[in-house]
Amino acid sequence: MRPILMKGHERPLTFLKYNRDGDLLFSCAKDHTPTVWFADNGERLGTYRGHNGAVWTCDVSRDSMRLITGSADQTVKLWNVQKGTQLYTFNFGSPARSVEFAIGDKLAVITTDPFMELTSAIHVKRIAGDSTEQTEESVLVIKGPQGRINRAVWGPLNRTIISAGEDAVIRIWDFETGKLLKESDKESGHKKTITSLTKAADGSHFLSGSLDKSAKLWDTRTLTLIKTYSTERPVNAVAMSPLLDHVVLGGGQDASAVTTTDHRAGKFEAKFYDKILQEEIGGVKGHFGPINALAFNPDGKSCSSGGEDGYVRLHHFDPDYFNIKI
Amino acid sequence: MAAEVMLMNEIEAKAASMAIDLNIDFNSIQLPRGEDCGIVSDDEDVYHDDQLEFDSGFGNVIVVDNLPVVPLEKFEKLEGVIRKIYSQIGVIKEDGLWMPVDPETKKTLGYCFIEYNTPQEAELAKEKTNGYKLDRAHIFAVNMFDDFDKYMRVPDEWAPPEIKPYTPGENLQKWLTDEKARDQFVIRAGTDTEVLWNDARQSKTELVYKRSYWTESFVQWSPLGTYLATVHRQGAAVWGGANTFNRLMRYAHPQVKLIDFSPGEKFLVTYSSHEPSNPHDANRVVINIFDVRTGKVMRDFKGSADEFTIGGAGGVAGVSWPVFRWGGGKEDKYFAKLGKNMISVYETETFSLIDKKSLKVENVVDFSWSPTDPILALFVPELGGGNQPARVSLVQIPSKVELRQKNLFSVSDCKMYWQSNGEYLAVKADRYTKTKKSTYTGFELFRIKERDIPIEVLELDNKNDKIIAFAWEPKGHRFAVIHGDNPRPDISFYSMKSSHNLGRVSKLTTLKGKQANALFWSPGGRFIVLAGLKGFNGQLEFFNVDELETMATAEHFMATDIEWDPTGRYVATAVTSVHEMENGFNIWSFHGKLLYRILKDHFFQFLWRPRPPSFLSAEKEEEILKYLKKYSKKYDAEDQDVSMLLSEQDREKRRMLKEEWEKWISEWKRASEEEKLERQRLRDGEASDEEEEYEAKEVEVEEILDFSEEVLFEE
């Protein structure tokens, strides 16, 4: 089916997130306004105004009532999804790169970039049920390793936090003590900056994408490397189908290194791989800049991609897609 | 970082206080013989080989003899004179001039040593000043320091040379006997050079030999595929062997830049060019011709670059390689060089000029050999503003008899194309129109093998079309031309034979509006790849000229290089490192099916290993063609077996992967089940697990859209 082209952002996309029901799609971009869309027809539902810098990331609560966004303006904001009003603002000394609600939505993990003399850090905040009682306090702060942390997510039962970033190492931290539990193996692990990390629907395994032109699938509990998907271009975004054994990798040359001759040279396709056999099964073209964000609808019947070109493309899969045999 | 910088500063300060010079010239360090400081050379046979001459370290020192013997008072004056003479030729090293003095008489001894920066300068100084007359009584005798050493070592009595027992060499052609009849190719990517089998049946490659830093600039197969040549700072080397690649011979030639084999791979020509010490001089060029098997220098040519740059396209600076063009077919009998108003033809019996003199041709700018016969085609451009027409002539070697000549009028440029069997010669002539403002192109076609060499003129249907490419069918009678001015040019095919009249050229077809700018015939003829490189981004069209139909169209995005394998079964297209992206190569079948694709960053070279010509006679070949069906049955069966085996292996592999994956899944399910209650607690008891998530519920919602009251009249 023809993809739905959603033009609402004026700057490159940075992040995409479906709510649990799969009827809403939240998009973040380098312009300052996160936007919510109807995930079915791509109609714009509303925007969340208040940030004063590029918005890098967002997450939505399980009941689709609250949205949390992290921005380069050094704040993380909580929003009322329905009304678009700001509920609370956390202030940091450096840009916030990633946010995620924990299971139960009572905690959120936030990562901040290294900035001035500050090192990168992972913060855990308690999220109050009633936003009037919300406080600034951190439950836990982990001073990060060297370089930016591009993504931090919760492990099973909120007991661990998984982080990945510029130093190409995936780390698992203990949430109770803040201690480092595991590190990915240097030999088998990524060789360059990890740009993205996404969990499976049940949280049992996760997929990491890196500028070393590969994506790797890991076991969440043991940090065992299970699969590697190699591609021809740096990977900026990864997604896993909740329905079929498919993974999608998006990326392309760095925007500054894109050749001016032909859009095909940059490889701005979203590539589909068989999750088990690690073989490429197809691609979706369309963006004329690198793909920065990818997300699967929780029903697995559509997915969306956000590009450096400022567009969100919403793909409802054709019936053929569900019968791909390799 | 800061700590390191401090450290370096400290070292420097310390060194300065101790008056130690930290700027070490590593080349100046001379290790005692046999000492390697524990660093093992990666060149494993460096220890077995004889030390090469230029390794002794005094190659840049000359000895000047027959100087006047002067007392101490005149020492400085003499030194000044010598320094003046020798610093004109090159840069004398600091303290590089040493004139010994007799300790008793305090007089000079009549000789001195001069050390230059480079061996090239020393050699030049020797050449230029040997025999220099300082005055009547003092004629310089200049020698290389190393030569003294060499000649001193010659034993006084002749001893019979040791006769080494004969050891049979390896079969250097063993790759031709591959059971699966595969072909080899060499690739260079990053620092690695690999020789691989093209295993097209299994759609993959198989490694034959791999080596890092095998060459310092490029590799090259010899024309018959026996050797692989590598290029190093010290010279060139050739490699080969039955099952792997061993070094067979080295050819010392410092700073060699280019190499070229003779067609029968008997000789190797190496070329280097050296920066002159005086910037006004032209570069010095050294060319050596080696015997490939013995490694002996058969002849060397030295001179300034000017002597080797004549000809080419209007005297463009730089040497047009190869300087020496080989002729006379595979026997390597002759080679020739273009000079000013002459062509110097040498023969390889004595490595001297034929008849001791060059072939004089006024204003000759280009020549080319017939690929099979000792015939030269040469081109002389128009002279005297059109008074003397341009001319193409065919000259027989060694008799130097002109076989045929053709005058061409108002010609601006001319290119010669030989058909691979030497049967035809096509001369592409660009002519001025009457106004002289533009040019148009025509072809003069020579039939070399026919009596009196008839010439035919061919003009395109639209004679104003620009010619983009021209190519003869190998061993055949057809040629293809890409012509046209618009962005999508036309491609025409011609045959030298026509159905009713054998002696006429005829057009077969014209394909209109193709995205192509290069032609690649299969080595077996019949098939051709019409390629759109550069601006066309790598468009490929596989065309069958017998049937005049397109077999397939494809694209290898950004392809820079296309090469047929020597049998004409496969085509390789490659993107080399001129582009940053997509480096690697594709292997296609002759009819345009993509077989496999390999990506390699920093991809530099792809070269098929050439095959020597078949030993089968023409009759035998025909016979095989006749019974091809019978033979192919056997190979078809083999192919099927391979593909069966492959799918079997593939299935097995997939099954394993699936099983492994199932194991993970069950592991995850179990863990998830264990954590289920805990997870529910975290969500305040809300059922969270997937089974409950998509429960279909029917919810009826009543919404009041409008409310109004109406009074109904009772009747």
Side-chain angles (χ1 to χ4, degrees):
Chain A
M1 208 159 97
R2 270 179 78 89
I4 297 167
L5 205 60
M6 293 140 77
K7 174 78 182 140
H9 288 288
E10 291 164 359
R11 297 285 315 276
L13 269 285
T14 56
F15 198 80
L16 290 168
K17 178 84 193 173
Y18 281 93
N19 67 344
R20 194 174 74 99
D21 302 323
D23 61 339
L24 299 178
L25 173 65
F26 296 88
S27 64
C28 304
K30 285 187 185 168
D31 60 20
H32 307 164
T33 19
T35 302
V36 58
W37 316 76
F38 279 117
D40 185 44
N41 57 10
E43 219 173 283
R44 186 159 73 166
L45 189 58
T47 53
Y48 300 90
R49 289 178 191 279
H51 272 302
N52 203 15
V55 181
W56 292 119
T57 177
C58 71
D59 195 15
V60 61
S61 65
R62 189 177 153 90
D63 57 8
S64 302
M65 295 303 281
R66 263 183 294 178
L67 180 73
I68 186 166
T69 56
S71 162
D73 66 3
Q74 312 192 349
T75 65
V76 168
K77 287 179 192 287
L78 281 170
W79 309 81
N80 180 316
V81 169
Q82 282 175 313
K83 296 181 185 148
T85 51
Q86 286 181 45
L87 300 175
Y88 192 79
T89 301
F90 299 100
N91 286 298
F92 295 93
S94 60
R97 182 65 55 168
S98 101
V99 292
E100 198 195 40
F101 283 124
I103 299 168
D105 298 328
K106 292 191 199 67
L107 295 165
V109 59
I110 299 164
T111 67
T112 53
D113 288 353
F115 191 62
M116 310 289 274
E117 68 276 12
L118 289 172
T119 58
S120 59
I122 302 169
H123 308 257
V124 178
K125 303 277 185 189
R126 198 169 292 288
I127 305 294
D130 182 351
S131 53
T132 53
E133 293 165 14
Q134 183 66 45
T135 57
E136 180 91 345
E137 259 174 276
S138 290
V139 184
L140 173 75
V141 178
I142 301 166
K143 290 280 183 226
Q146 282 287 306
R148 203 161 75 194
I149 303 170
N150 280 328
R151 192 92 183 112
V153 296
W154 291 96
L157 302 180
N158 302 346
R159 282 181 189 153
T160 55
I161 293 166
I162 304 156
S163 75
E166 261 178 347
D167 63 355
V169 181
I170 297 173
R171 292 185 175 80
I172 297 187
W173 312 82
D174 188 307
F175 166 56
E176 294 296 328
T177 62
K179 282 214 180 77
L180 180 65
L181 296 177
K182 281 193 180 70
E183 267 188 17
S184 64
D185 182 31
K186 277 248 158 51
E187 264 315 293
S188 61
H190 284 296
K191 300 286 180 285
K192 286 189 185 165
T193 299
I194 298 169
T195 49
S196 53
L197 192 157
T198 184
K199 284 191 290 182
D202 64 353
S204 61
H205 55 287
F206 66 88
L207 183 67
S208 61
S210 160
L211 297 184
D212 67 7
K213 304 184 182 177
S214 75
K216 288 173 188 286
L217 192 76
W218 311 79
D219 179 79
T220 312
R221 292 177 181 85
T222 61
L223 200 60
T224 315
L225 177 66
I226 303 175
K227 302 278 180 195
T228 299
Y229 310 94
S230 328
T231 170
E232 296 160 20
R233 81 232 63 185
V235 178
N236 293 344
V238 290
M240 273 191 282
S241 167
L243 189 65
L244 300 171
D245 285 322
H246 291 169
V247 299
V248 191
L249 316 184
Q253 283 312 95
D254 188 21
S256 61
V258 167
T259 50
T260 48
T261 48
D262 198 311
H263 64 94
R264 288 175 302 174
K267 294 274 181 188
F268 309 130
E269 260 175 278
K271 283 277 186 202
F272 283 67
Y273 286 76
D274 187 282
K275 198 176 188 174
I276 304 166
L277 303 176
Q278 292 157 265
E279 278 169 41
E280 191 182 312
I281 48 181
V284 178
K285 293 178 191 173
H287 282 287
F288 48 90
I291 293 173
N292 291 340
L294 280 170
F296 250 101
N297 192 308
D299 68 5
K301 288 174 185 162
S302 65
C303 83
S304 55
S305 57
E308 187 76 17
D309 56 10
Y311 286 102
V312 177
R313 299 176 73 92
L314 179 61
H315 307 273
H316 288 284
F317 296 122
D318 290 330
D320 301 348
Y321 166 80
F322 302 98
N323 299 318
I324 296 174
K325 286 265 177 338
I326 62 164
Chain B
M1 254 340 258
E4 273 177 48
V5 172
M6 286 286 288
L7 217 59
M8 202 59 212
N9 283 343
E10 278 169 24
I11 293 169
E12 272 163 18
K14 185 91 180 168
S17 71
M18 293 168 72
I20 296 169
D21 186 8
L22 277 178
N23 299 319
I24 300 161
D25 174 14
F26 289 102
N27 293 326
S28 70
I29 299 172
Q30 292 286 327
L31 290 177
R33 223 165 244 279
E35 173 61 80
D36 60 5
C37 290
I39 304 161
V40 182
S41 167
D42 59 349
D43 198 352
E44 68 272 7
D45 33 23
V46 78
Y47 303 108
H48 317 307
D49 278 343
D50 319 4
Q51 280 291 308
L52 289 161
E53 277 170 56
F54 53 81
D55 283 348
S56 69
F58 294 109
N60 53 344
V61 180
I62 56 169
V63 183
V64 185
D65 220 335
N66 277 351
L67 295 177
V69 176
V70 297
L72 206 54
E73 309 86 75
K74 283 190 165 178
F75 181 91
E76 268 183 34
K77 192 176 174 193
L78 178 63
E79 198 190 46
V81 170
I82 295 169
R83 191 178 288 279
K84 198 174 163 192
I85 295 170
Y86 283 95
S87 53
Q88 283 173 348
I89 294 162
V91 181
I92 300 174
K93 269 200 181 169
E94 223 179 300
D95 299 329
L97 175 66
W98 182 47
M99 192 154 48
V101 178
D102 189 317
E104 281 173 25
T105 61
K106 301 285 177 208
K107 281 184 174 179
T108 61
L109 292 167
Y111 57 87
C112 74
F113 301 92
I114 296 168
E115 185 178 7
Y116 281 104
N117 270 331
T118 64
Q120 284 81 23
E121 284 170 327
E123 195 153 311
L124 191 67
K126 179 195 136 185
E127 263 173 45
K128 279 202 172 171
T129 63
N130 193 16
Y132 179 89
K133 278 186 186 167
L134 190 66
D135 54 46
R136 193 178 285 272
H138 298 102
I139 299 168
F140 285 4
V142 186
N143 283 296
M144 303 298 290
F145 182 83
D146 281 350
D147 287 350
F148 279 88
D149 222 26
K150 194 164 89 188
Y151 295 122
M152 292 294 280
R153 269 197 235 155
V154 174
D156 290 339
E157 265 178 50
W158 181 81
E162 201 184 318
I163 296 169
K164 286 184 190 163
Y166 171 76
T167 45
E170 281 185 275
N171 177 5
L172 300 180
Q173 257 100 30
K174 191 159 179 238
W175 97 95
L176 291 170
T177 61
D178 179 50
E179 268 184 17
K180 297 176 203 158
R182 298 170 300 180
D183 273 290
Q184 288 187 352
F185 56 85
V186 64
I187 57 168
R188 223 154 49 73
T191 56
D192 291 344
T193 303
E194 293 171 55
V195 178
L196 302 161
W197 287 112
N198 167 32
D199 205 332
R201 263 185 190 161
Q202 305 195 36
S203 293
K204 61 173 191 172
T205 60
E206 192 187 315
L207 187 67
V208 181
Y209 187 75
K210 176 177 178 171
R211 190 166 166 145
S212 293
Y213 304 102
W214 199 357
T215 177
E216 280 173 42
S217 49
F218 59 92
V219 294
Q220 187 173 328
W221 293 106
S222 63
L224 305 181
T226 316
Y227 310 104
L228 183 71
T230 56
V231 178
H232 308 268
R233 207 173 323 143
Q234 302 90 333
V238 295
W239 306 70
N243 299 309
T244 178
F245 281 82
N246 300 314
R247 183 160 59 212
L248 302 172
M249 189 50 73
R250 292 204 281 197
Y251 312 97
H253 186 152
Q255 283 155 45
V256 59
K257 293 254 161 54
L258 298 165
I259 58 171
D260 181 39
F261 281 97
S262 66
E265 61 186 35
K266 283 202 188 97
F267 303 104
L268 177 73
V269 187
T270 58
Y271 163 91
S272 67
S273 150
H274 304 274
E275 289 281 323
S277 40
N278 182 350
H280 300 296
D281 291 347
N283 282 6
R284 267 177 59 75
V285 165
V286 180
I287 294 173
N288 289 322
I289 302 180
F290 293 93
D291 184 300
V292 170
R293 263 175 291 181
T294 62
K296 238 170 61 188
V297 181
M298 304 308 289
R299 171 129 196 206
D300 58 350
F301 297 86
K302 289 177 189 171
S304 81
D306 298 340
E307 295 168 44
F308 294 95
T309 47
I310 301 148
V316 178
V319 176
S320 70
W321 186 253
V323 171
F324 291 105
R325 299 177 203 169
W326 293 88
K330 304 270 187 232
E331 271 96 69
D332 296 346
K333 264 201 188 132
Y334 309 105
F335 59 99
K337 176 177 85 78
L338 190 65
K340 197 167 228 162
N341 296 332
M342 64 181 183
I343 296 170
S344 309
V345 187
Y346 302 82
E347 46 91 17
T348 54
E349 285 284 312
T350 60
F351 277 87
S352 57
L353 286 169
I354 291 181
D355 304 339
K356 308 228 162 37
K357 53 180 186 278
S358 297
L359 184 64
K360 290 261 179 277
V361 187
E362 284 296 314
N363 293 308
V364 60
V365 294
D366 197 11
F367 77 95
S368 67
W369 285 96
S370 155
T372 49
D373 303 291
I375 297 173
L376 272 179
L378 54 90
F379 170 64
V380 180
E382 200 167 80
L383 285 175
N387 284 336
Q388 201 180 323
R391 127 179 105 91
V392 171
S393 31
L394 295 171
V395 179
Q396 179 99 45
I397 299 296
S399 62
K400 301 189 182 174
V401 171
E402 194 166 75
L403 297 173
R404 192 76 162 89
Q405 182 193 332
K406 170 90 189 213
N407 286 339
L408 303 164
F409 293 92
S410 47
V411 161
S412 72
D413 194 18
C414 203
K415 280 229 164 59
M416 292 172 279
Y417 302 92
W418 283 91
Q419 182 251 17
S420 69
N421 282 356
E423 290 168 72
Y424 310 109
L425 169 69
V427 175
K428 187 190 96 178
D430 293 334
R431 289 190 172 84
Y432 292 112
T433 51
K434 282 212 174 97
T435 58
K436 295 234 164 190
K437 274 181 186 149
S438 57
T439 58
Y440 66 96
T441 309
F443 291 95
E444 312 282 328
L445 302 165
F446 292 68
R447 294 170 190 273
I448 308 291
K449 297 281 161 89
E450 282 172 37
R451 210 163 69 93
D452 296 337
I453 311 184
I455 303 173
E456 207 175 324
V457 180
L458 171 71
E459 270 176 6
L460 298 175
D461 297 347
N462 176 4
K463 64 179 189 180
N464 292 325
D465 273 0
K466 217 174 78 190
I467 307 293
I468 297 162
F470 176 95
W472 281 102
E473 177 181 34
K475 300 176 203 160
H477 55 90
R478 291 176 288 210
F479 59 88
V481 186
I482 305 183
H483 54 95
D485 289 317
N486 47 338
R488 285 165 159 270
D490 300 342
I491 302 173
S492 295
F493 292 92
Y494 293 86
S495 168
M496 294 298 281
K497 297 173 182 165
S498 54
S499 46
H500 14 269
N501 183 356
L502 280 173
R504 293 290 298 172
V505 63
S506 63
K507 192 170 94 171
L508 299 171
T509 189
T510 295
L511 312 171
K512 292 267 180 208
K514 289 287 174 191
Q515 292 197 43
N517 49 20
L519 298 165
F520 298 92
W521 281 95
S522 156
R526 188 169 165 195
F527 306 110
I528 189 169
V529 175
L530 316 170
L533 305 178
K534 290 174 190 152
F536 289 132
N537 288 340
Q539 298 288 334
L540 307 169
E541 182 166 341
F542 294 79
F543 192 80
N544 180 342
V545 185
D546 274 5
E547 310 292 329
L548 294 177
E549 65 181 15
T550 301
M551 298 182 289
T553 53
E555 182 193 50
H556 183 187
F557 187 58
M558 291 306 212
T560 53
D561 294 86
I562 294 177
E563 203 185 348
W564 281 85
D565 89 325
T567 60
R569 294 176 295 175
Y570 307 104
V571 184
T573 59
V575 180
T576 55
S577 61
V578 289
H579 297 299
E580 217 175 279
M581 302 271 307
E582 315 249 343
N583 278 201
F585 62 92
N586 287 2
I587 302 287
W588 310 77
S589 72
F590 74 96
H591 59 278
K593 184 179 164 228
L594 180 61
L595 299 173
Y596 59 97
R597 166 180 171 82
I598 288 177
L599 293 168
K600 293 238 180 219
D601 275 347
H602 305 288
F603 192 73
F604 299 115
Q605 262 190 310
F606 181 106
L607 290 172
W608 288 102
R609 189 173 193 170
R611 281 170 177 258
S614 165
F615 289 112
L616 296 175
S617 62
E619 295 84 53
K620 187 82 187 157
E621 267 183 45
E622 225 161 82
E623 195 190 310
I624 292 173
L625 268 178
K626 212 165 127 193
Y627 297 111
L628 196 60
K629 279 233 170 80
K630 202 175 80 192
Y631 294 113
S632 64
K633 241 185 208 156
K634 176 184 148 202
Y635 294 108
D636 283 345
E638 264 177 41
D639 277 356
Q640 207 173 352
D641 286 352
V642 170
S643 74
M644 290 277 277
L645 188 69
L646 263 190
S647 55
E648 190 58 41
Q649 280 171 354
D650 212 36
R651 265 205 297 278
E652 184 63 16
K653 196 178 131 214
R654 284 180 181 206
R655 201 181 53 77
M656 296 258 291
L657 284 172
K658 289 256 196 238
E659 261 174 28
E660 195 188 326
W661 183 253
E662 292 301 328
K663 241 170 47 202
W664 279 108
I665 295 275
S666 61
E667 172 72 15
W668 289 330
K669 278 229 171 90
R670 194 185 51 75
S672 163
E673 199 61 32
E674 270 172 27
E675 289 165 358
K676 187 173 174 180
L677 286 174
E678 184 70 7
R679 204 159 41 234
Q680 280 195 11
R681 195 184 58 74
L682 282 172
R683 285 193 177 131
D684 301 328
E686 196 182 330
S688 64
D689 293 303
E690 278 59 40
E691 302 87 70
E692 289 101 324
E693 272 198 14
Y694 291 104
E695 214 177 318
K697 277 188 206 161
E698 233 169 82
V699 185
E700 258 178 59
V701 182
E702 262 180 54
E703 206 170 334
I704 297 165
L705 294 172
D706 199 7
F707 187 81
S708 64
E709 234 172 72
E710 261 178 71
V711 182
L712 298 170
F713 294 99
E714 268 178 74
E715 280 183 33

